[in-house]
Amino acid sequence: GAVVSQHPSWVICKSGTSVKIECRSLDFQATTMFWYRQFPKQSLMLMATSNEGSKATYEQGVEKDKFLINHASLTLSTLTVTSAHPEDSSFYICSARGTSDSTDTQYFGPGTRLTVL
Amino acid sequence: GQNIDQPTEMTATEGAIVQINCTYQTSGFNGLFWYQQHAGEAPTFLSYNVLDGLEEKGRFSSFLSRSKGYSYLLLKELQMKDSASYLCAVIGNTPLVFGKGTRLSVIA
């Protein structure tokens, strides 16, 4: 149980384009989903927390107009990187926390590797 | 403030035992997690501690002392596939805060 999927696994795009990444909890309902970014050999950096049906909470330094997050249902959250630039190239990972999980355990998706040319 | 410290790198021999330490200072405490992350992959959940003491799960065990702000992950009977980064993460009054990870290399 507690499987989280992400799509796509990797994406290469031109500078200035927008990229949408989907995060789905496959076998549980997730009231809260998290989006992380990880640069090579560095730890995960939390970008934002999204709760189903409400606006995402962004961490300091993360541009909410650039990284659009939508959490439309209890099983789906999307991250859209708008007008992507080479410095946005990174490994983007989502995680989800179940509605009935009293331990607050977060389960991670497999990640999406974004390369902006 | 939030601060989580763990060693950057460790090396151990196949079949041996290794202990990865983690110390933390966080606003509030609602649990400590250990995750394993292989290069190029997302983290996978290993353990969760919220009460003091040792939690054993197969070859992996995790210990917590809340009064000392200290945890360790113990890996027994090391295998080559255990070569990975091990992330200590604490949940307090904020979403999960990760340490920088300990890169473990298992050698023959």
Side-chain angles (χ1 to χ4, degrees), chain B residues 70-91:
Chain B
Y70 167 70
S71 172
Y72 67 72
L73 179 69
L74 193 71
L75 293 79
K76 303 176 185 175
E77 302 170 16
L78 279 174
Q79 302 175 11
M80 300 300 286
K81 67 178 182 180
D82 297 329
S83 293
S85 285
Y86 291 86
L87 307 174
C88 173
V90 175
I91 191 161

Side-chain angles (χ1 to χ4, degrees), chain A residues 34 36 38 41 43-44 46 49 91 93 97 103-106 108-111 113, chain B residues 30 33 35 37 40-45 48 87 91 95-96 98-101 103:
Chain A
F34 304 87
Y36 294 84
Q38 187 177 35
K41 298 187 178 181
S43 187
L44 293 92
L46 179 66
T49 302
F91 192 41
I93 308 171
R97 189 165 66 200
T103 67
D104 285 335
T105 300
Q106 290 181 29
F108 287 85
R113 191 163 301 282
Chain B
N30 289 312
F33 299 83
Y35 286 87
Q37 186 177 26
E41 298 180 12
T44 56
F45 170 75
Y48 168 76
L87 307 174
I91 191 161
L96 210 56
F98 283 89
K100 294 184 178 179
R103 194 172 305 115

Side-chain angles (χ1 to χ4, degrees), chain A residues 35 71 83 88 112:
Chain A
W35 287 96
H71 193 160
S83 187
D88 299 323
T112 297

